[in-house]
Amino acid sequence: MRMSLVHAPTLKETPKEAEVPSHALLLRAGFIRKEAAGIYSFLPLAVRVLKKIEAIVREELDRAGAQEVILPTVQPAELWMESQRWEKYGPELLRFKDRKQAEFCYAPTAEEVMVALVRRDVRSYRQLPVNLYQIANKFRDEIRPRAGLMRGREFVMKDAYSFDADEAGASRTYQAMYDAYVRIFERCGLAFRPVEADTGAIGGSRSHEFQVLADSGEDSIVSCPSCGYTANVEKAEIQRPTGPLGSTPGGKFTSVPTPGKKSIDDVAAFLSLPKDRILKSLYVETDKGAFLVLLRGDRELNEIKLRARTGATWVEFKAGEAKATADARTSDGRPAVSAALAFGYLGPVGFSRKDIRILADDSVRTLADFACGANVEGEHLISVELSDLGITETHDLGMAGHGDPCGRCGGEFAFFRGIEVGHVFFLGTRYSEPMGCRFLDKDGQERPMVMGCYGVGVSRIMAAAIEQNHDGQGIKWPLPLAPFEVAVIPLAADGTIAETADWLYGDLRAAGIDVVIDDRPSRAGEKFADADLIGFPIQVMVGKKGLEQGGVELKVRATGARDLVPLDAAVQRIRELVIAGRRGLRA
Ligand code: ATP
Ligand code: MG
């Protein structure tokens, strides 16, 4: 390809909207343009990267026995009603009507349509297992689209769905897909970890996320150095404390004025107490009723654990809001139980609302001589003891924190941040049961198929790869994902320099290398800057000085290493670098 023909409009300045390096660099290097919040156009360089990711995904999935299909992105509501997700999915699901007023949605995922496809034609155990995938755009009306391709509303996802006759078969398929994912992310040249994960809205029992390690990642992951247990903090089991709850006698507490001090930070500063001597009381409404959730002040509530504990499908936080009025309503119009609560000053001592249940996190067990809200505007209680709270049990409701004991072995958790690029779920019969996806087993018995589902964030991988591989000059693509493996950069537009560059370009193409020649009439400095910004892994500079010494200069973008190579050895040397890079070896 000739650079003069590539539509890659690079920008000198970093766009103001850019939140993370990958977002800034994809815009600056001319890979993407924003059309609306979380909705992007992919320019030619980005399409080349996507195709490379897709090719790796296809090869590895085909090897694992999955087959590609193409499903509609416009899906009928009836199928979503069969799985009960039409009500449950919430506002992330983009719903619309056709001209006959029939309801549809734009695919955020495809369990329902896939189940409909398979149940139509698969009747016997002889036809199982079936494992189908597609690579297609998805739409999720994310509440906070952010960071460019990292969390888009429309994005490219590979989604696969497997159907087996029994649990044992489904477990084998799950393992085959897990192994395929390991190979996919290795071949993409990413540093990643598989971690145990929550199953979220998709449902199911067993699940692993594949997390690319990056400081800008949204996900927090804990890992136990002693036993190797690695999990998303949303899921991470903390060792449960034992022993008595509150043996110190209470009744010593007094009320103190704390006007305007509503947050734990403000109360801690005002009362000169560390946060682990303040009780946090969060008011939460759910479809299973209202709760006052108690945590130690330095702890965060884990919404997923709260949902698991209460069986709620939705939860709504009211913490820190201004005092509600008597006719307050929740966002969907129900009367709020929260009316007339002293928000910011809530606490369990003397809490008289019988319609609001108190739930305490395990972390409160270590509290002694602490402060909590007094249920009166502008007042807190101090010198409170656990025996004043009237609680008899605690639960694991908190987000795992640094130094927490591992739920498996008691070792001390270490933390890192990650970007979720893939997710494998063991679904069991979550969809096949309600949607009647059944088959006849060997004995002629009708049984539901046992399913798994498996996602890869194809467009998110593009962003994650940049988060891991960039510097002040631009992107440093891992070679297997780069829009071009090699860029030949002539430092003059004519004469021997241009002819030599053309000859090299031709020979590299003939050697099966994905090469671009920067034939634009730009200054050398601009070509260098663009090559580094776009991130070509191997750059070949053809210039006067080098040619006088009979060679061309090779630069490896990832390391910055430069070296003058004799002309007649150049193609061979570049080939070696490319082949090593394709295997995922860093040059
Ligand atoms: P997240 O927790 O990041 O919202 P998820 O658990 O909702 O992800 P899945 O339903 O498992 O995601 O989707 C499969 C894969 O699709 C994810 O692992 C991720 O890589 C990608 N993905 C999900 N949501 C987005 C998004 N909004 N933008 C880009 N990629 C996404
Ligand atoms: Mg999501």
Side-chain angles (χ1 to χ4, degrees):
M1 178 61 78
R2 297 191 168 269
M3 212 42 197
S4 57
L5 300 176
V6 176
H7 179 56
T10 55
L11 308 172
K12 291 250 161 11
E13 304 292 325
T14 300
K16 278 198 281 304
E17 74 212 73
E19 295 162 69
V20 293
S22 63
H23 188 192
L25 290 169
L26 286 167
L27 289 166
R28 267 192 66 203
F31 282 69
I32 59 169
R33 289 293 181 260
K34 177 172 149 183
E35 307 303 349
I39 300 180
Y40 289 86
S41 294
F42 293 84
L43 277 59
L45 291 177
V47 171
R48 297 185 71 90
V49 176
L50 282 181
K51 297 283 173 221
K52 292 200 175 176
I53 300 170
E54 289 175 10
I56 293 172
V57 169
R58 284 195 173 93
E59 270 181 43
E60 293 302 337
L61 290 187
D62 293 352
R63 194 211 297 256
Q67 301 151 77
E68 187 166 2
V69 292
I70 300 177
L71 302 183
T73 46
V74 173
Q75 305 181 338
E78 294 92 79
L79 288 178
W80 284 73
M81 289 171 184
E82 283 188 44
S83 70
Q84 275 132 37
R85 283 209 296 183
W86 189 251
E87 312 88 71
K88 283 194 185 155
Y89 212 94
E92 264 190 32
L93 186 64
L94 178 64
R95 302 153 207 253
F96 45 87
K97 290 182 179 157
D98 69 6
R99 63 170 79 199
K100 294 181 186 141
Q101 301 304 306
E103 288 189 294
F104 290 88
C105 63
Y106 192 99
T109 170
E111 284 77 8
E112 284 79 1
V113 176
M114 203 57 100
V115 166
L117 187 76
V118 169
R119 75 178 171 192
R120 191 177 291 130
D121 300 307
V122 178
R123 298 256 179 267
S124 155
Y125 71 94
R126 286 193 202 84
Q127 293 166 282
L128 294 173
V130 177
N131 188 354
L132 303 174
Y133 72 93
Q134 61 171 345
I135 299 179
N137 280 19
K138 300 287 178 300
F139 190 92
R140 294 181 182 178
D141 203 350
E142 300 273 358
I143 185 160
R144 268 180 291 279
R146 63 175 283 277
L149 300 187
M150 207 74 96
R151 183 167 296 284
R153 290 197 297 163
E154 186 167 358
F155 55 96
V156 185
M157 195 209 284
K158 183 287 297 178
D159 46 328
Y161 306 83
S162 65
F163 300 80
D164 275 86
D166 53 25
E167 291 256 336
S171 290
R172 279 194 299 276
T173 305
Y174 184 90
Q175 191 58 44
M177 294 298 274
Y178 180 103
D179 295 342
Y181 273 43
V182 170
R183 284 195 300 271
I184 288 170
F185 299 119
E186 273 173 5
R187 285 185 56 190
C188 287
L190 299 166
F192 68 97
R193 293 279 291 271
V195 312
E196 290 189 22
D198 177 69
T199 47
I202 295 195
S205 51
R206 197 178 348 147
S207 145
H208 286 89
E209 287 168 355
F210 290 78
Q211 294 276 357
V212 162
L213 311 182
D215 291 339
S216 61
E218 281 185 352
D219 287 9
S220 287
I221 291 131
V222 296
S223 179
C224 174
S226 312
C227 72
Y229 174 58
T230 303
N232 195 308
V233 283
E234 292 177 346
K235 155 100 182 180
E237 298 154 22
I238 310 171
Q239 194 175 59
R240 306 286 314 275
T242 50
L245 186 63
S247 47
T248 314
K252 303 185 299 285
F253 58 84
T254 50
S255 178
V256 293
T258 50
K261 309 298 176 198
K262 295 183 173 184
S263 69
I264 294 291
D265 283 329
D266 286 352
V267 175
F270 189 74
L271 297 177
S272 301
L273 283 176
K275 288 202 279 187
D276 61 8
R277 281 187 53 203
I278 299 174
L279 179 75
K280 190 189 273 188
S281 307
L282 299 175
Y283 174 67
V284 186
E285 283 181 10
T286 78
D287 53 329
K288 298 286 182 202
F291 295 91
L292 193 67
V293 183
L294 311 180
L295 299 123
R296 204 172 62 207
D298 59 339
R299 280 315 167 103
E300 298 304 324
L301 173 63
N302 183 331
E303 196 184 310
I304 287 166
K305 288 183 181 172
L306 177 67
R307 269 194 261 154
R309 177 80 241 157
T310 59
T313 47
W314 60 261
V315 301
E316 208 168 299
F317 293 87
K318 295 292 169 83
E321 271 181 20
K323 190 172 173 172
T325 55
D327 61 352
R329 305 246 145 202
T330 61
S331 56
D332 53 354
R334 287 165 290 107
V337 209
S338 55
L341 287 175
F343 283 109
Y345 307 97
L346 296 177
V349 181
F351 190 72
S352 57
R353 293 280 296 265
K354 295 284 173 281
D355 53 335
I356 302 172
R357 276 168 289 167
I358 292 179
L359 263 187
D361 173 53
D362 287 334
S363 64
V364 308
R365 283 176 176 263
T366 60
L367 284 167
D369 185 8
F370 57 95
C372 68
N375 296 309
V376 177
E377 187 76 20
E379 287 185 27
H380 276 80
L381 302 178
I382 55 166
S383 308
V384 187
E385 296 294 343
L386 285 181
S387 45
D388 294 318
L389 306 187
I391 53 172
T392 53
E393 53 176 5
T394 62
H395 313 273
D396 181 10
L397 299 172
M399 216 54 111
H402 193 75
D404 272 344
C406 164
R408 298 276 163 90
C409 78
E412 208 175 284
F413 277 146
F415 269 75
F416 52 93
R417 296 203 71 81
I419 302 167
E420 181 196 322
V421 289
H423 205 161
V424 293
F425 294 88
F426 188 91
L427 286 174
T429 57
R430 160 69 185 87
Y431 293 90
S432 51
E433 190 85 73
M435 296 186 70
C437 185
R438 299 200 185 85
F439 70 102
L440 292 178
D441 71 10
K442 279 196 182 75
D443 309 318
Q445 289 282 325
E446 194 172 69
R447 290 202 291 161
M449 296 180 203
V450 186
M451 291 179 60
C453 76
Y454 319 88
V456 169
V458 174
S459 51
R460 188 182 277 182
I461 288 178
M462 180 155 33
I466 299 174
E467 290 301 322
Q468 257 183 9
N469 301 282
H470 68 273
D471 61 14
Q473 271 56 57
I475 305 169
K476 301 186 195 176
W477 286 112
L479 188 129
L481 305 191
F484 293 97
E485 296 171 324
V486 177
V488 174
I489 306 174
L491 306 186
D494 45 26
T496 327
I497 291 178
E499 277 166 29
T500 310
D502 261 335
W503 162 81
L504 251 181
Y505 171 63
D507 275 16
L508 289 169
R509 273 167 54 124
I513 289 169
D514 188 17
V515 57
V516 64
I517 182 166
D518 195 347
D519 58 339
R520 297 174 302 173
S522 324
R523 286 186 299 109
E526 272 172 49
K527 291 186 184 182
F528 294 155
D530 277 354
D532 278 357
L533 177 61
I534 294 169
F536 299 123
I538 298 165
Q539 301 169 15
V540 191
M541 265 61 88
V542 186
K544 187 155 159 268
K545 239 169 68 197
L547 289 184
E548 277 167 9
Q549 297 170 57
V552 291
E553 193 180 27
L554 288 194
K555 174 176 154 185
V556 176
R557 175 71 178 100
T559 59
R562 288 161 183 275
D563 128 53
L564 192 75
V565 182
L567 251 186
D568 54 5
V571 172
Q572 182 54 25
R573 177 88 185 94
I574 294 166
R575 258 193 94 226
E576 285 164 12
L577 285 173
V578 167
I579 286 167
R582 283 180 187 165
R583 285 204 216 100
L585 304 174
R586 301 289 170 90

